[in-house]
Amino acid sequence: MQEFTALANTLADEAGNIVRRYYRAPFDVESKADTSPVTIADREVEQRLREIIEKQRPEDGIIGEEFGTKESQNGLTWVLDPIDGTKSFVIGRPTFGTLVALCEEDKPILGIIDQAISKERWTGVKGKQTTFNGQPTKARPCQSVTQACVASTTPDMFKKTGPVYEKFERGSKMMSWGADCYAYGLLASGYCDIVVEASLSPYDFAALIPVVEGAGGKICDWNSDPLTLKSDGQVIALGDATLWDEVSELLK
Amino acid sequence: MQEFTALANTLADEAGNIVRRYYRAPFDVESKADTSPVTIADREVEQRLREIIEKQRPEDGIIGEEFGTKESQNGLTWVLDPIDGTKSFVIGRPTFGTLVALCEEDKPILGIIDQAISKERWTGVKGKQTTFNGQPTKARPCQSVTQACVASTTPDMFKKTGPVYEKFERGSKMMSWGADCYAYGLLASGYCDIVVEASLSPYDFAALIPVVEGAGGKICDWNSDPLTLKSDGQVIALGDATLWDEVSELLK
């Protein structure tokens, strides 16, 4: 596993070097069909990370947001999101992150959330305690939704599911928007309690799973099923798993 | 004016010293009637800044979020928001800011947006170019809303006005939530184009005005009237003032 962690750290380091070069620099932003901005940095990072993986571990599969899927020949697949939170990146806000995950078949066993500007990195490895910049970190207890700090990225995510977020806004202590992947790191370090999102892709959530679980939290789909590369993109993360019964009612 | 700028910088420095002590530290969060969290840090900062102002300039008025209003005896009033974006502060996200403004009667002539964790400071002085960490900075041109990056803090702000933000979500290039005061700084440095908000208080927007105007942008209420301490809290900021005609249609 140590070999994989070392490679994942190399990937995040390389991504950071590129990301910092483009952050707040003037550049063209393309629009994809879903209108999320994709930057030159996004492509350059993914190309670089693919090169490194293909050189060091040619049999591993790769799933990336920009350049599609390379099939795995050994059951291991790297899942890359060069810049999760591209909108934040585009407006110059350091809450985006580079996500690197390694999956065994379709289950993530290693995940990194890296914020290259503030130089914050959460690393989760299956069966181990999550680290924040190399130091062990953990989620905090939270006994009820009324006491919970909730985060999500944008109400726009909930178009297909209906405005489920309104129940969290009404029922929780506070609701904060503009989450991006950064909020899952904050949850893993005990600063927020619930992240509720929808319309995510596997490269958006694969890396989050080992980070949240290794911090003692629960992360799953809205039916409490494990998230896999085949999940539908509805994601709920809880710093304290005992919130689930109450939260599951709000998700209905 | 230089005396005022020096004092404003001292106030922001002092606030930062306190803010950094409490950021991501475990502490109790009280709930106010409007459910926005108020932290111990918030009160400690405002108390400290009031002490400094009262000692150095006893005749100046003070308006603060936490401890109310001290009437001015000379037409000058300091407007303080120790931690704008308390929700971001509470979940450990460095997009909150300390806001310091100086008003002549009810018009802001000096404003600072300070982010104490990333150590980013925007300073606006009436008639001068805005600075970012001491260097001149300016907003960027933007020819139409379809090309604009739009920011706002939370849909919850628009309860009284109706969901005006939906028109910006549909009509712009992108819409980013979780803005806080930080987004006005980003607009003043040319990274985003429009910030649209409602339900703001004078201590939320007073400091933003010199920052945005000194960067070449336009900031006003939704009727294009100047923001003063008596404004109703509907705020629109444009990096490029020529967007106004198009934007005013969306605000109706």
Side-chain angles (χ1 to χ4, degrees):
Chain A
M1 201 66 194
Q2 213 163 352
E3 180 202 348
F4 298 140
T5 311
L7 176 53
N9 276 310
T10 300
L11 297 174
D13 290 345
E14 285 285 328
N17 289 337
I18 297 169
V19 160
R20 281 187 291 273
R21 224 169 352 101
Y22 286 100
Y23 181 66
R24 294 192 182 176
F27 57 78
D28 295 327
V29 177
E30 300 173 33
S31 279
K32 280 197 299 191
D34 65 359
T35 76
S36 82
V38 180
T39 65
I40 299 165
D42 223 356
R43 290 165 180 245
E44 196 171 321
V45 170
E46 190 172 322
Q47 268 175 332
R48 180 78 188 112
L49 303 199
R50 282 176 175 262
E51 275 170 25
I52 298 170
I53 296 166
E54 283 170 14
K55 194 171 172 192
Q56 290 197 26
R57 301 194 44 88
E59 297 189 343
D60 292 3
I62 305 175
I63 299 177
E65 188 178 6
E66 299 303 325
F67 298 102
T69 299
K70 179 195 172 195
E71 292 298 333
S72 177
Q73 295 162 45
N74 58 11
L76 293 172
T77 301
W78 294 88
V79 184
L80 309 173
D81 191 0
I83 300 175
D84 175 85
T86 39
K87 288 180 180 177
S88 293
F89 182 85
V90 165
I91 67 166
R93 182 172 58 192
T95 59
F96 64 90
T98 297
L99 300 178
V100 174
L102 178 61
C103 294
E104 206 168 48
E105 302 306 337
D106 65 349
K107 289 191 181 127
I109 55 170
L110 185 159
I112 283 182
I113 304 171
D114 187 71
Q115 214 306 309
I117 308 306
S118 58
K119 302 202 172 170
E120 295 174 296
R121 182 174 300 177
W122 287 270
T123 306
V125 176
K126 199 183 170 182
K128 290 193 177 174
Q129 187 167 359
T130 294
T131 60
F132 172 64
N133 286 352
Q135 297 301 312
T137 197
K138 62 178 185 196
R140 69 183 172 195
C142 181
Q143 288 174 345
S144 75
V145 172
T146 57
Q147 298 177 299
C149 296
V150 184
S152 187
T153 299
T154 164
D156 212 36
M157 287 180 152
F158 299 88
K159 273 190 178 151
K160 284 185 190 161
T161 65
V164 164
Y165 62 87
E166 289 178 358
K167 292 190 249 175
F168 287 88
E169 263 182 335
R170 279 197 301 270
S172 69
K173 188 163 71 183
M174 54 158 267
M175 175 96 193
S176 174
W177 295 98
D180 299 334
C181 59
Y182 198 68
Y184 294 85
L186 295 174
L187 179 142
S189 288
Y191 304 116
C192 78
D193 306 292
I194 298 172
V195 188
V196 55
E197 304 209 283
S199 312
L200 297 189
S201 297
Y203 45 79
D204 294 323
F205 61 70
L208 311 174
I209 299 164
V211 169
V212 170
E213 290 183 346
K218 175 184 173 77
I219 181 167
C220 55
D221 74 12
W222 289 10
N223 297 314
S224 191
D225 289 324
L227 291 164
T228 71
L229 298 182
K230 299 183 187 81
S231 294
D232 66 357
Q234 297 177 353
V235 173
I236 179 91
L238 307 174
D240 186 333
T242 63
L243 286 171
W244 173 253
D245 288 344
E246 205 186 335
V247 165
S248 67
E249 290 299 315
L250 300 180
L251 291 171
K252 276 172 192 168
Chain B
M1 202 67 196
Q2 212 164 355
E3 180 202 349
F4 299 139
T5 311
L7 176 52
N9 276 309
T10 300
L11 298 174
D13 289 345
E14 287 284 328
N17 290 337
I18 297 168
V19 160
R20 281 187 290 274
R21 225 170 351 102
Y22 287 99
Y23 181 64
R24 294 192 182 176
F27 57 78
D28 294 327
V29 177
E30 299 172 35
S31 280
K32 279 198 299 193
D34 65 0
T35 74
S36 83
V38 181
T39 65
I40 299 165
D42 222 356
R43 289 165 181 244
E44 196 172 321
V45 170
E46 188 172 324
Q47 268 175 331
R48 179 79 187 112
L49 303 198
R50 282 175 175 264
E51 276 170 25
I52 298 170
I53 295 166
E54 283 170 14
K55 194 170 172 192
Q56 290 197 25
R57 299 193 47 87
E59 297 189 344
D60 292 2
I62 306 175
I63 298 177
E65 189 179 6
E66 299 302 326
F67 299 102
T69 299
K70 179 194 172 195
E71 292 298 331
S72 177
Q73 295 162 45
N74 58 12
L76 293 172
T77 301
W78 295 87
V79 184
L80 308 173
D81 191 359
I83 299 176
D84 175 86
T86 38
K87 288 180 180 179
S88 292
F89 182 84
V90 166
I91 65 166
R93 182 171 57 192
T95 59
F96 64 90
T98 297
L99 300 177
V100 174
L102 178 62
C103 294
E104 206 168 50
E105 303 306 337
D106 66 350
K107 289 194 180 123
I109 55 170
L110 185 159
I112 284 181
I113 304 171
D114 188 70
Q115 213 306 309
I117 308 306
S118 57
K119 302 201 173 171
E120 295 173 296
R121 182 174 299 177
W122 286 271
T123 306
V125 176
K126 198 183 170 182
K128 289 193 178 174
Q129 187 168 358
T130 294
T131 60
F132 172 64
N133 286 352
Q135 298 301 312
T137 196
K138 63 179 183 194
R140 70 183 171 194
C142 180
Q143 289 175 345
S144 76
V145 172
T146 57
Q147 299 177 298
C149 296
V150 184
S152 187
T153 299
T154 163
D156 211 37
M157 286 180 152
F158 299 89
K159 273 189 178 152
K160 283 186 191 160
T161 65
V164 164
Y165 62 87
E166 289 178 357
K167 292 190 247 176
F168 286 88
E169 262 182 335
R170 280 196 301 270
S172 69
K173 187 163 72 183
M174 54 159 267
M175 175 96 194
S176 174
W177 295 98
D180 299 336
C181 58
Y182 197 68
Y184 294 86
L186 295 175
L187 180 142
S189 288
Y191 304 116
C192 78
D193 307 292
I194 298 172
V195 188
V196 55
E197 304 209 282
S199 311
L200 298 189
S201 297
Y203 45 78
D204 294 324
F205 62 70
L208 311 174
I209 299 164
V211 169
V212 170
E213 290 182 346
K218 175 183 173 79
I219 180 167
C220 55
D221 74 12
W222 290 10
N223 297 314
S224 192
D225 289 326
L227 291 164
T228 71
L229 298 182
K230 299 184 187 79
S231 294
D232 66 357
Q234 297 176 353
V235 173
I236 180 90
L238 307 173
D240 186 333
T242 63
L243 286 172
W244 172 254
D245 287 345
E246 205 186 335
V247 164
S248 67
E249 289 299 314
L250 301 180
L251 291 171
K252 275 172 191 164

